[in-house]
Amino acid sequence: MADETTGPVGVSGRARITQPFEAGVVVRDLEVMERFYGEVLGCVPVHRSHIPQAIAGPAGLGGQLLVVWLEVPSGGRIKLIHPRARVVSSPWAGPLAERCGLVYLTFHVDDIAPLVAALPAAGGRPLSSPVVVSARGRRISFWADPEGNALELVDERGGVREPGRSEP
């Protein structure tokens, strides 16, 4: 339970979060990534902004940026951050749980099947084996987006058995 002036009950002096959560993803190809998140996951661009060096530098973001805010259908936003300078990536080949930092974005969906069918054609690559795993009443699937960022899809309707799934 929360109190509007103090935040969570018993915790005073903390700022209150006033907007849905946003996650930033640095991208190499803004057009490809905007299309991927829009067409496959239904995210809608709601704002686009050029961030000059004068702001990005002191903010610790590096040089000039183009940022596109995508609204996630269930709430919250993904910021696709496209730097003017070349992006240095470090692909991770190991298990997701052995990686520090932001590891994946989770999307709760009402039906995982159409997404699993659409992701390969959109540039997604499955990370789960089998592609959809049934666990604790859910169907879960991990994917890499076209630039290798990990996504988790969660479908609460895990009681239905389909080919290609396992129950741990």
Side-chain angles (χ1 to χ4, degrees):
M1 181 171 206
D3 176 298
E4 288 190 21
T5 58
T6 62
V9 172
V11 181
S12 61
R14 289 198 179 170
R16 191 169 55 92
I17 295 174
T18 61
Q19 297 280 327
F21 185 76
E22 294 183 0
V25 178
V26 177
V27 301
R28 288 184 296 277
D29 190 328
L30 183 60
E31 185 178 319
V32 166
M33 297 300 281
E34 189 173 351
R35 187 172 44 252
F36 175 84
Y37 283 95
E39 291 177 4
V40 177
L41 296 167
C43 299
V44 177
V46 293
H47 185 67
R48 184 176 298 263
S49 182
H50 290 274
I51 312 296
Q53 167 64 35
I55 295 171
L61 298 170
Q64 294 180 22
L65 308 168
L66 173 58
V67 181
V68 176
W69 281 259
L70 302 174
E71 184 126 313
V72 177
S74 61
R77 293 183 178 175
I78 298 170
K79 294 183 284 193
L80 299 179
I81 302 165
H82 185 254
R84 187 170 195 161
R86 191 178 136 236
V87 176
V88 177
S89 63
S90 52
W92 180 260
L96 292 174
E98 293 179 5
R99 182 173 164 182
C100 288
L102 179 63
V103 176
Y104 56 86
L105 302 173
T106 300
F107 295 90
H108 292 267
V109 300
D110 63 354
D111 188 358
I112 206 167
L115 287 173
V116 167
L119 281 163
R125 182 175 46 86
L127 299 175
S128 305
S129 181
V131 173
V132 177
V133 178
S134 293
R136 298 186 175 165
R138 298 180 176 127
R139 294 184 292 172
I140 301 167
S141 188
F142 282 90
W143 288 79
D145 70 16
E147 292 192 1
N149 303 296
L151 312 173
E152 175 189 27
L153 306 174
V154 178
D155 180 341
E156 299 294 332
R157 303 171 318 132
V160 180
R161 302 274 300 161
E162 291 179 19
R165 280 195 247 156
S166 69
E167 182 73 42

